[in-house]
Amino acid sequence: MKVHMTNIHGMTKNSVAQIAQNMTSQFGKQLGFNEIGIYNYPISVDSPTELSKRFDGMVASVSNNDIVIYQAPSWNTIEFDHAFVDHLKRYSKLKLIIFIHDVTPLMFAGNRYLLPTFIDFYQKADLLIVPSEQMYLFYEKMG
């Protein structure tokens, strides 16, 4: 069994989101975790087949019974996050941990309508890591 952790790349140089995930990933590497790089790009250019091939390359080191810590969001859209996690769930007995850094529906009032989609995404995890007890209580209340 191996432990893998996603890490975003390709955002602007001083992106706070990328800095936070890169720092978390560095800590994971010190613990022996493997990195799964997720690059920021316009995912609409990929067909579903191309996206699946991209995912295959990203998760080439993942095997059955492994643990994947998915740092969320990937900032490639929640649809990307759903599709990537669904791709991972094809592995037998894979344990998925979602490490929540930011929740865009809570960050921007215009994105509140997306909250149910984010909740559905988080429910795919075997375990959630949240940044505060307040967020834990909020998600517990939301189901």
Side-chain angles (χ1 to χ4, degrees), residues 46-103:
D46 282 347
S47 70
T49 301
E50 290 169 329
L51 189 59
S52 182
K53 289 177 187 177
R54 185 181 300 271
F55 291 158
D56 284 340
M58 292 165 60
V59 301
S61 64
V62 176
S63 300
N64 295 333
N65 301 305
D66 282 357
I67 297 170
V68 174
I69 303 169
Y70 190 88
Q71 295 192 79
S74 69
W75 298 103
N76 281 328
T77 75
I78 188 65
E79 292 79 16
F80 175 95
D81 294 340
H82 272 283
F84 188 84
V85 164
D86 289 345
H87 196 86
L88 283 170
K89 289 289 200 165
R90 296 176 181 170
Y91 289 92
S92 174
K93 299 181 183 175
L94 180 127
K95 297 295 182 200
L96 176 68
I97 299 168
I98 298 178
F99 187 122
I100 302 172
H101 286 272
D102 294 306
V103 184

Side-chain angles (χ1 to χ4, degrees), residues 3 23 35 40 51 54 67 75 95-96 105-106 109 113 137:
V3 180
M23 288 173 58
E35 179 179 313
N40 186 268
L51 189 59
R54 185 181 300 271
I67 297 170
W75 298 103
K95 297 295 182 200
L96 176 68
L106 300 179
Y113 73 97
L137 294 172

Side-chain angles (χ1 to χ4, degrees), residues 3 9 18 26 30 40 43 49 59 68 99 101 103 106-107 117 120 122 137-138 142:
V3 180
H9 300 278
Q18 182 168 307
Q26 282 292 9
Q30 292 173 6
N40 186 268
I43 67 160
T49 301
V59 301
V68 174
F99 187 122
H101 286 272
V103 184
L106 300 179
M107 295 169 65
T117 306
D120 289 345
Y122 300 145
L137 294 172
F138 174 78
M142 297 298 292

